[in-house]
Amino acid sequence: MNKKIISDSASNMRTLDGVDFTSVPLTIITNEKEYVDDAGLDVDKMVEELYSYKGRSSTACPGVGDWLKSFGDAEEVYCVTIISTLSGSYNSAMTAKQQYEEEYPQRKVFVLDSYSAGPEMKLLVEKLKELVLSGKDYDTICREITEHKEKHTSLAFGLESLKNLANNGRVSHAVAAITNIMGIRLVGNVSPEGQLHPVYKSRGEKKAIASILSCMKEQRYAGGTVVIDHCCNENGANSLKEAIRKEYPDANVRIEKTTGLCSFYAEKGGLMIGFEV
């Protein structure tokens, strides 16, 4: 049976070895140009351009047609989308699912709202790969990935700038301005309802790293797998990795880069941390 795994580009994944996988791009839009979050995007250049850009910016989710195209001719499709309160990607994927299953009644599409972004999505996609390769049936895979999301993965973040989040209505402009003026790094997580939840306000990278680890522990982290996605901040990612491994020497910690959409929201210096609990 032809099975396929798909995520939108908020997962920071372009490829996934061992299974049929597609990343469906979101788009970052400014008054000057558009950035399509696919393999052709120069993310570092985009980050530098946006850092000095003073105008309005926004994002656009994949359309229904984009999702339908990504399904190809798969008989079973498993999708993971960015948090639905931040983007319309989930709704587009659900509409595509309905149309696809109506056209092909013997085929099935599952869409998981990650209630997250970036590295936690990545962990969910990798878990889907494990389930698909295990040979489990469709209903079992859907049930187990949903339970895995609810019980075994979480997200934390550390941000140096909130400009783009504020411009897109995710945080208030007043909070973003104060954070910028005072040099505060915002550390937090995502609530079960999918809302950004600031937990700590830290000055300096050392305090921010300690706050991120505290935030992870408060979400029941105890040494499981960690994926740190960074936006132009490899030093900060390595410092966090060292802090985690100091307390949990056997922890599997990976460092990778944000792609376009997550770079837009995390901004230069931002860290996103997906982890298993």
Side-chain angles (χ1 to χ4, degrees):
M1 179 175 287
N2 183 5
K3 301 182 180 183
K4 188 170 188 179
I5 299 173
I6 304 170
S7 75
D8 60 43
S9 61
S11 67
N12 295 330
M13 302 180 73
R14 302 297 194 204
T15 61
L16 181 65
D17 293 338
V19 293
D20 189 3
F21 173 79
T22 294
S23 172
V24 184
L26 291 98
T27 304
I28 297 94
I29 303 168
T30 73
N31 293 332
E32 298 175 353
K33 64 189 300 185
E34 294 187 359
Y35 304 89
V36 179
D37 190 12
D38 60 15
L41 177 64
D42 185 333
V43 177
D44 290 342
K45 182 179 179 182
M46 183 198 79
V47 170
E48 289 300 325
E49 290 175 351
L50 291 176
Y51 186 73
S52 58
Y53 175 69
K54 303 301 182 183
R56 295 180 61 84
S57 58
S58 61
T59 62
C61 69
V64 174
D66 298 315
W67 282 105
L68 283 169
K69 182 179 179 180
S70 73
F71 296 168
D73 60 355
E75 297 167 87
E76 289 184 10
V77 181
Y78 301 92
C79 306
V80 180
T81 76
I82 186 175
I83 175 175
S84 56
T85 55
L86 197 63
S87 169
S89 186
Y90 173 78
N91 290 334
S92 291
M94 287 296 291
T95 301
K97 161 188 165 67
Q98 181 180 357
Q99 293 183 12
Y100 193 72
E101 291 177 342
E102 287 176 354
E103 184 173 359
Y104 305 103
Q106 302 305 314
R107 301 180 185 182
K108 299 177 180 178
V109 179
F110 175 73
V111 182
L112 177 69
D113 182 349
S114 71
Y115 286 99
S116 191
E120 185 179 4
M121 286 180 67
K122 195 175 297 183
L123 290 172
L124 293 170
V125 169
E126 291 169 352
K127 181 64 177 180
L128 269 175
K129 172 184 172 179
E130 175 189 319
L131 293 171
V132 166
L133 293 179
S134 73
K136 295 182 178 182
D137 63 79
Y138 174 83
D139 290 335
T140 300
I141 292 174
C142 296
R143 183 182 70 254
E144 291 193 8
I145 191 62
T146 301
E147 291 176 352
H148 190 75
K149 160 59 195 165
E150 293 173 348
K151 299 178 180 179
H152 299 296
T153 65
S154 196
L155 179 78
F157 58 81
L159 306 179
E160 294 185 14
S161 173
L162 306 179
K163 181 184 73 172
N164 291 332
L165 284 168
N167 287 342
N168 285 269
R170 312 309 177 189
V171 299
S172 73
H173 285 280
V175 170
I178 292 172
T179 300
N180 181 55
I181 293 169
M182 300 186 68
I184 293 173
R185 304 187 187 198
L186 194 67
V187 174
N189 54 38
V190 178
S191 73
E193 298 77 26
Q195 301 297 324
L196 297 179
H197 180 217
V199 179
Y200 298 100
K201 297 176 182 178
S202 304
R203 286 189 177 179
E205 184 172 277
K206 185 175 181 180
K207 289 184 178 179
I209 295 301
S211 295
I212 290 171
L213 186 52
S214 295
C215 188
M216 293 169 64
K217 290 178 181 178
E218 290 166 9
Q219 296 177 83
R220 299 182 293 116
Y221 179 72
T225 296
V226 180
V227 180
I228 305 170
D229 286 350
H230 70 89
C231 181
C232 306
N233 190 7
E234 188 172 2
N235 288 338
N238 278 313
S239 295
L240 177 58
K241 178 179 180 178
E242 292 173 5
I244 294 169
R245 293 294 297 274
K246 184 176 181 180
E247 293 200 34
Y248 306 98
D250 297 327
N252 175 19
V253 184
R254 291 155 40 200
I255 295 176
E256 298 173 2
K257 292 183 177 182
T258 53
T259 54
L261 191 282
C262 285
S263 294
F264 174 74
Y265 280 120
E267 298 190 61
K268 193 172 184 179
L271 299 175
M272 301 177 69
I273 305 94
F275 53 96
E276 295 182 343
V277 298

